[in-house]
Amino acid sequence: MIAPPTWKTVLAAVLFSSASASAAEQPALKPATVKPSGRQGVTLPKATTLTLKNGAKLILVERRDVPLVSFSAWLRGGALADPAGKEGLSALTGELLQKGAGARDARQFAEAVDGVGGRLEVHSGLEALTIAGQFMSKDSALMVELLSDMLLRPRFTQEELEKTRARMTSEITAAKDGDPRALVGTYFDAFHFAGHPYGTAVDGTEASLPGIGREDVLAYTKNQLGADRLILSVVGDFDAKALGAKLQKALGDMPKAASPAPQVAATTVSKGRRVLLVDKPDATQTYFLIGNTSIARNDPDRVAANLAGTVLGGRFTSLLNTELRVKSGLTYGARSYFSPESQPGAFVISSFTQTEKTDKAIDMALEVYARYRQTGLDDATLESAKAYVLGQFPPRLETGQQVADKLSELAFYGLDSRDVDGFAAAVDATTRQAVGTVIQRVLPPSEDLTFVLIGKASAIREMARKYGTVTEMKISDKRFAPAQR
Amino acid sequence: MFRQTLLWTSCAALLVAPAAGAQAQPKAATKAAATASSKLGAKVESRTFKNGLKVIVWPDHDIPNVALYNWFRVGSRNEYPGITGLSHFFEHMMFNGAKKFGAGEFDRVMEANGGSNNAFTSEDVTVYMDWFPRSALDVIFQLEADRLQFLSFDPKVIESERGVVYSERRSSVDNNNMGSLAEQVQATAFVAHPYQFPVIGWPSDIESWRMEDLQRYFKTYYAPNNATLVVVGAVTPAEVFALVEKYLEPIPSQPAPEPVRTQEPVQQGERRVVVKKVSQSPLLQLAYHGISANDADAEALTLLLSVLGEGDSSRLHRRLVEEERVALRATTMYSGGFDPSLVWVTADLPPGGDLARVEALLTEELARVAKDGITDAELTKARNITLADFWRSLETNNGRGYALGATETFRGDFRKLFDAPARYERVTREDVRRVAARIFATERRTVGWLVPGEAPAATPAAHKEATR
């Protein structure tokens, strides 16, 4: 059993780990001009950037301290390109990229990666499919071969498709027996963003996956996984010129996507309060998320929002964790985080507590939240938050894999190295007033909140009613959204 | 928040660390790797102070940050009925106030200086970690010294922290089927040795730790002579040693803790445990009595488990997930400790999955490797995977702090970290077969089934909480 997420890994997911700051031109970050930071920051290494004729973008950084090469490939589209009723198509396609490509069947492909101690992982995201890999530098030729086989020559055999689809479907069912923290976010998105692509269950549902066939996968690949959607960053022990030439040769023939990239309608803040109660009859603890639509990845106020989120629920001494865990012992953890995407994503408060104290914990979280929106923070707290985010920033860009991921992510969102290089200065320059203004803008008012509770419905149904109109579903239901009436 | 319990860890690769070899020219590449790895450790310095505290420093200035790991040789292995879970609870209490820095101040001061922290408890050790910018070095030593010398025990804080740990137990065990089954399997596999206790503790013990238990624990186990401090990152050994002299060396040593004398008697026949829980998917766990971290077969075991369970090309994944399609996942796990601990082989089944069939297939695969061993290609692959894991683990301050501390604690000398590639080179196919035969004997295993069932009227855990 893997231990629960550590505070550190939680942070990585939380504080726009990737986000951060700077005075990027496009879109601008406030404040536009900042003084150099007195504190030590991090700067991204200088990269060699190439754009191939087919639109593929390559970003290369030589880094020779350990004999490893890491890459991060982002393909725009992700689950946003899943047709209605075929949720999980992009995720299934991503899984199948590793199940046989080029000269290798699924088994030979896995042997090739494992045989040299390599790592190759496909991650299905909402807005992009990403492939991350790491090989010993002596195996970089093999790495290029495997990656280009995946992108240009996936086999997508019927047999592998059926097997993978069945396994993915069962994994969702099995996850419902596991720690509810792994799924509560999927329920939240499905309920909160219902009708918008941001509500898509990225990994699909037990209802949608069985209906996805090989023709869907082929169409998705042709329409979405094109060279003009590819951003590939490689960091590590190699010669940039030689590797650039090799990649150019390997990826130069990759076709462009046949369809335009999915466009996302603007997301909106929902009005009023509503509650989704997911019944898990054997639960002895209730897991809850409370939130609303908040900000986008490239929001010009992202540094101030990061600081605001850190104080409320982004670190151990945050207001939420102090009240719910440290002072009252109601829970093992309480936090808040943003999920920034191209369009404003969710901001949520998250915690869990024993069934009998569900309303006590939720009331306390709401109280802390309302007070924070009302009174903001003092100078000492802001200073502490600044020191904290600056102190925790450098280890997020310590490894080649982290740097490769960051370079691709910045390019994906139309940002550049100033988002990292200018972070320390932007944090330093943020004023209490700026954070106060941002709190009012990005943290939804207390009367406009979406609640998702996973727990023992017979025991918490009454408690749930005081937070808004309750919609109920069972954890065994084959979708993450309640049935439409 | 993740101050967490490692009920059983997935850190096998780190604890047992390195391997070496390359596909084309295993020998030459390994030699190169061995040289590279010993060069890597050339800057590491260590010193043992007057009070018995051993300090290891690995300077590295890639980023302006530092990772501090403080390893205490105390875990659930040092517990007995009535106080199970105490080591882990104590882990929590170390954050709850001392003399100079009162309740809540440890975290408040650390975060205000840009640092964060975490801690974990296992069967063998309790480890405290701080991650901070180098500018915070002095204040971090003040914080650590204060809590080691003057920890306070406020009854109100103890009561509140009990609730936190109970919530942690609900998350990792009661509301997590994998955790529920593992707890029962571990408790069944050991009848005498304290490895039978769950690290998080039995519910009734969580409710009954007493003040005097805590105070005794602190005095006995949180002594400088029972700890190893590892500091990695943007520091010099000289400045760290000077800070240790100033802040930690004045803390007096204590009599060495009582050794754990109980050895688990040899198991005489297979044990089985069935857990019935509300669920849609069955789970299977096999636990074999294994070896200690310092056993001469440790490297061979690591390679064996890699061949069986690491990656989509591994034997168990191929057979159970891809070919027979009876499992969603098949894994192997081993985390070496002071005493022989369990080697886990687990499978997650799809809804309606056939536990007996999966058990038979796993048993067959394990018997096959014990009889026929592995191929040359598999040995090379396992070495490459382990070598790559080794480099990855040494890529960050955090990874280096863990690896150095684990090697020093469980192998008795941190330098063994850098010899590891050579040790893996010496492992032969016959060594791997022999260790498989040594470990995978059905009469020395515990088989755990989690069988989907109906919700009971009231679970004992729920009842207990209701009365608290």
Side-chain angles (χ1 to χ4, degrees):
Chain A
M1 187 186 72
I2 307 296
T6 64
W7 181 237
K8 204 180 180 206
T9 54
V10 166
L11 271 177
V14 173
L15 293 176
F16 309 153
S17 58
S18 43
S20 335
S22 97
E25 307 160 334
Q26 233 311 326
L29 182 81
K30 289 185 220 167
T33 51
V34 289
K35 278 182 272 175
S37 168
R39 288 179 258 221
Q40 284 181 283
V42 194
T43 52
L44 279 172
K46 288 271 173 286
T48 307
T49 304
L50 301 165
T51 303
L52 308 190
K53 279 189 193 135
N54 56 11
K57 189 170 185 181
L58 309 181
I59 303 170
L60 308 176
V61 172
E62 287 182 23
R63 200 173 135 137
R64 310 284 194 148
D65 48 352
V66 283
L68 294 169
V69 181
S70 306
F71 74 83
S72 172
W74 285 48
L75 288 144
R76 187 177 301 278
L80 293 183
D82 288 351
K86 307 255 181 190
E87 292 81 15
L89 171 57
S90 65
L92 176 62
T93 306
E95 282 293 304
L96 290 174
L97 291 179
Q98 309 167 80
K99 299 290 179 187
R104 296 174 177 88
D105 66 15
R107 177 176 191 160
Q108 290 160 337
F109 197 90
E111 289 286 0
V113 176
D114 295 344
V116 298
R119 272 195 190 175
L120 197 52
E121 282 156 15
V122 179
H123 172 76
S124 316
L126 186 59
E127 301 197 295
L129 195 74
T130 64
I131 309 173
Q134 193 181 51
F135 287 76
M136 303 286 289
S137 37
K138 69 184 171 58
D139 302 315
S140 56
L142 175 69
M143 179 186 88
V144 172
E145 184 184 323
L146 294 175
L147 176 64
S148 55
D149 279 348
M150 288 169 88
L151 293 173
L152 277 82
R153 293 168 289 275
R155 290 190 178 185
F156 296 135
T157 65
Q158 185 66 28
E159 188 200 354
E160 292 296 338
L161 181 137
E162 283 168 16
K163 210 160 61 174
T164 305
R165 186 180 57 194
R167 199 185 72 224
M168 286 173 67
T169 312
S170 296
E171 274 171 351
I172 294 171
T173 316
K176 292 177 174 179
D177 297 335
D179 187 332
R181 281 178 288 179
L183 289 178
V184 64
T186 308
Y187 284 103
F188 184 90
D189 290 344
F191 185 58
H192 180 72
F193 291 112
H196 187 279
Y198 279 8
T200 304
V202 173
D203 293 320
T205 69
E206 293 152 280
S208 70
L209 283 165
I212 300 176
R214 185 162 186 268
E215 64 287 1
D216 297 313
V217 169
L218 293 173
Y220 183 91
T221 306
K222 186 175 165 205
N223 292 332
Q224 306 297 333
L225 300 186
D228 51 331
R229 305 286 178 80
L230 174 67
I231 298 165
L232 170 63
S233 301
V234 194
V235 175
D237 182 19
F238 56 77
D239 177 83
K241 211 170 164 187
L243 185 68
K246 226 183 263 181
L247 284 168
Q248 196 154 2
K249 196 171 163 215
L251 299 173
D253 294 334
M254 184 175 170
K256 291 187 177 186
S259 296
Q263 296 296 310
V264 196
T267 48
T268 51
V269 177
S270 68
K271 289 283 162 199
R273 285 182 170 195
R274 61 216 172 99
V275 183
L276 175 67
L277 172 57
V278 183
D279 183 22
K280 190 167 165 60
D282 62 322
T284 62
Q285 183 153 278
T286 303
Y287 299 77
F288 60 88
L289 289 190
I290 306 170
N292 207 327
T293 308
S294 184
I295 64 170
R297 168 66 181 88
N298 56 14
D299 190 288
D301 285 329
R302 58 192 177 275
V303 169
N306 182 344
L307 290 166
T310 300
V311 171
L312 176 63
R315 56 178 180 172
F316 194 83
T317 62
S318 71
L319 300 174
L320 286 166
N321 197 57
T322 297
E323 289 301 320
L324 271 74
R325 169 174 165 150
V326 179
K327 286 193 181 165
S328 63
L330 284 169
T331 180
Y332 183 49
R335 62 186 182 113
S336 65
Y337 59 89
F338 298 93
S339 303
E341 304 281 358
S342 298
Q343 293 290 330
F347 160 80
V348 295
I349 290 168
S350 150
S351 190
F352 43 90
T353 192
Q354 72 182 93
T355 304
E356 293 73 15
K357 295 191 173 161
T358 300
D359 57 343
K360 192 175 175 192
I362 292 178
D363 288 347
M364 194 178 279
L366 290 173
E367 219 178 278
V368 169
Y369 182 66
R371 206 180 328 130
Y372 186 52
R373 280 196 92 252
Q374 202 170 15
T375 59
L377 70 180
D378 58 24
D379 285 326
T381 306
L382 178 61
E383 278 313 303
S384 168
K386 285 181 176 183
Y388 182 78
V389 300
L390 287 176
Q392 298 301 305
F393 190 60
R396 292 197 214 148
L397 292 168
E398 197 177 1
T399 68
Q401 186 72 63
Q402 289 170 322
V403 172
D405 290 344
K406 174 56 76 179
L407 291 168
S408 287
E409 186 233 331
L410 291 176
F412 183 87
Y413 288 107
L415 302 168
D416 62 27
S417 60
R418 280 170 290 182
D419 204 61
V420 170
D421 300 352
F423 181 64
V427 168
D428 267 346
T430 304
T431 63
R432 186 158 66 96
Q433 197 184 9
V435 177
T437 308
V438 154
I439 288 173
Q440 297 307 315
R441 180 168 76 80
V442 307
L443 301 184
S446 292
E447 59 271 24
D448 298 328
L449 291 170
T450 303
F451 295 70
V452 170
L453 280 58
I454 301 182
K456 184 176 178 177
S458 61
I460 60 175
R461 191 171 283 129
E462 282 309 312
M463 296 181 208
R465 285 198 185 124
K466 72 178 188 185
Y467 304 110
T469 316
V470 177
T471 307
E472 245 188 79
M473 63 185 291
K474 297 192 181 81
I475 195 137
S476 55
D477 287 350
K478 295 196 181 309
R479 297 171 201 277
F480 291 99
Q484 305 282 329
R485 290 180 196 227
Chain B
M1 128 266 118
F2 311 59
R3 278 167 197 148
Q4 84 229 39
T5 306
L6 299 187
L7 288 178
W8 31 298
T9 71
S10 51
C11 305
L14 274 174
L15 282 182
V16 205
Q23 223 168 19
Q25 297 165 297
K27 288 253 150 114
T30 302
K31 204 176 258 178
T35 314
S37 73
S38 56
K39 238 190 246 166
L40 197 67
K43 290 187 200 149
V44 181
E45 288 183 32
S46 78
R47 203 171 130 188
T48 303
F49 288 79
K50 276 182 213 146
N51 58 3
L53 177 67
K54 181 158 188 180
V55 180
I56 307 170
V57 184
W58 188 340
D60 184 290
H61 295 266
D62 277 358
I63 56 170
N65 283 58
V66 184
L68 179 151
Y69 271 72
N70 204 0
W71 292 71
F72 289 89
R73 291 182 285 277
V74 57
S76 56
R77 176 177 172 273
N78 303 96
E79 296 165 5
Y80 47 82
I83 67 156
T84 67
L86 185 62
S87 307
H88 169 255
F89 184 65
F90 202 85
E91 172 209 318
H92 283 238
M93 290 304 295
M94 285 294 282
F95 292 90
N96 285 342
K99 190 167 151 190
K100 182 171 176 191
F101 304 97
E105 290 294 288
F106 185 91
D107 289 304
R108 200 190 61 72
V109 171
M110 181 169 292
E111 292 188 354
N113 282 277
S116 68
N117 58 64
N118 208 332
F120 68 85
T121 308
S122 74
E123 287 84 350
D124 298 280
V125 290
T126 307
V127 183
Y128 297 86
M129 298 93 83
D130 302 327
W131 301 279
F132 52 92
R134 72 151 275 122
S135 55
L137 192 59
D138 192 89
V139 76
I140 296 291
F141 270 88
Q142 292 181 44
L143 288 163
E144 290 293 351
D146 188 43
R147 69 173 171 178
L148 286 177
Q149 202 162 7
F150 304 113
L151 194 70
S152 68
F153 299 95
D154 178 341
K156 261 200 274 175
V157 173
I158 292 173
E159 284 322 301
S160 166
E161 200 66 45
R162 254 189 243 274
V164 173
V165 169
Y166 225 123
S167 174
E168 186 179 354
R169 187 186 153 86
R170 281 189 295 268
S171 305
S172 61
V173 182
D174 304 331
N175 293 310
N176 188 330
N177 288 355
M178 227 179 283
S180 298
L181 181 60
E183 182 175 273
Q184 290 299 312
V185 170
Q186 183 146 350
T188 306
F190 290 100
V191 295
H193 192 279
Y195 278 165
Q196 68 187 273
F197 305 132
V199 173
I200 190 102
W202 293 115
S204 56
D205 289 352
I206 291 178
E207 289 171 25
S208 57
W209 302 310
R210 292 166 307 179
M211 176 72 85
E212 55 267 35
D213 297 327
L214 282 162
Q215 284 167 339
R216 181 182 51 80
Y217 236 63
F218 182 61
K219 199 170 163 59
T220 309
Y221 295 108
Y222 283 77
N225 47 308
N226 200 43
T228 302
L229 178 70
V230 181
V231 182
V232 178
V235 294
T236 64
E239 70 181 328
V240 171
F241 294 150
L243 288 166
V244 174
E245 267 170 27
K246 183 173 172 189
Y247 293 115
L248 298 177
E249 201 172 32
I251 302 172
S253 64
Q254 299 294 330
E258 278 287 299
V260 173
R261 288 182 294 266
T262 305
Q263 292 177 19
E264 182 66 17
V266 175
Q267 191 173 334
Q268 304 290 334
E270 183 179 273
R271 294 177 198 143
R272 305 186 72 85
V273 55
V274 177
V275 172
K276 257 195 160 177
K277 282 211 77 171
V278 175
S279 64
Q280 301 186 68
S281 307
L283 298 172
L284 177 70
Q285 297 175 354
L286 306 179
Y288 292 85
H289 285 286
I291 59 180
S292 65
N294 220 5
D295 192 287
D297 278 338
E299 287 80 14
L301 178 58
T302 300
L303 297 182
L304 167 67
L305 297 183
S306 172
V307 168
L308 287 173
E310 207 165 335
D312 282 2
S313 74
S314 65
R315 286 191 180 196
L316 301 184
H317 180 88
R318 291 298 317 164
R319 185 82 196 275
L320 277 85
V321 180
E322 302 290 348
E323 288 163 19
E324 308 282 348
R325 304 187 195 184
V326 293
L328 304 173
R329 200 172 299 120
T331 60
T332 53
M333 265 171 297
Y334 158 71
S335 176
F338 293 126
D339 300 319
S341 56
L342 296 174
V343 173
W344 297 79
V345 179
T346 74
D348 299 4
L349 276 64
D354 183 345
L355 280 160
R357 171 143 170 73
V358 173
E359 185 187 319
L361 286 168
L362 280 177
T363 306
E364 187 188 314
E365 284 296 325
L366 300 179
R368 189 158 74 88
V369 75
K371 183 169 170 284
D372 302 334
I374 62 172
T375 65
D376 277 330
E378 284 176 322
L379 181 62
T380 303
K381 177 173 77 171
R383 280 190 181 135
N384 283 340
I385 289 173
T386 314
L387 178 62
D389 284 345
F390 174 71
W391 286 116
R392 267 191 283 272
S393 76
L394 299 185
E395 225 188 343
T396 60
N397 287 337
N398 191 34
R400 286 188 281 256
Y402 183 88
L404 273 185
T407 309
E408 173 71 21
T409 302
F410 292 112
R411 297 294 187 100
D413 184 353
F414 70 86
R415 289 175 198 86
K416 289 188 180 169
L417 180 66
F418 305 109
D419 300 340
R423 285 203 306 278
Y424 281 91
E425 176 58 26
R426 285 197 291 273
V427 175
T428 64
R429 281 172 53 198
E430 174 52 23
D431 290 335
V432 174
R433 193 207 58 75
R434 192 177 38 74
V435 81
R438 179 180 171 190
I439 305 286
F440 296 134
T442 50
E443 67 271 22
R444 290 197 295 277
R445 75 177 183 185
T446 300
V447 179
W449 284 20
L450 185 131
V451 177
E454 294 302 311
T459 64
H463 171 73
K464 278 198 183 298
E465 283 173 47
T467 59
R468 274 179 62 220

